[in-house]
Amino acid sequence: PLQKYINSWLIVILMVGIYEIIGSIGLILIVLAQITKKRKIQYELDIFGGVALLIYSLWLKNLIFIVLQAMFVIVAAYELYKTKF
């Protein structure tokens, strides 16, 4: 049963593409960040989600999206840094 489950996920990854899955995970993490009330967790989710979307935008080779995501990650990292100190 486990092998069948793993094979199903491998088929999904091959059909959709790894970069689309990474981008989707990034989007989900950023949405979850907006729902959470704890600032530290919000910034961490923003960073991980932003990095995932940055990887996706690099794959797309879309300069505007690359710059946008890079700035988003930098700002989220700065805000996380401020909450620690």
Side-chain angles (χ1 to χ4, degrees), residues 9-73:
W9 274 106
L10 289 174
I11 290 170
V12 168
I13 290 171
L14 291 174
M15 289 176 62
V16 175
I18 190 71
Y19 291 104
E20 286 88 352
I21 292 172
I22 291 171
S24 299
I25 290 170
L27 180 60
I28 291 168
L29 290 175
I30 289 173
V31 168
L32 289 175
Q34 301 310 309
I35 295 171
T36 186
K37 301 297 181 200
K38 295 184 178 182
R39 288 283 184 197
K40 183 177 180 277
I41 293 172
Q42 185 179 38
Y43 297 138
E44 290 170 349
L45 289 172
D46 278 341
I47 291 168
F48 290 121
V51 168
L53 283 174
L54 179 59
I55 291 168
Y56 179 63
S57 63
L58 287 167
W59 177 73
L60 289 175
K61 297 178 181 136
N62 185 323
L63 183 60
I64 293 173
F65 196 40
I66 292 168
V67 172
L68 171 72
Q69 286 309 125
M71 293 303 297
F72 181 83
V73 171

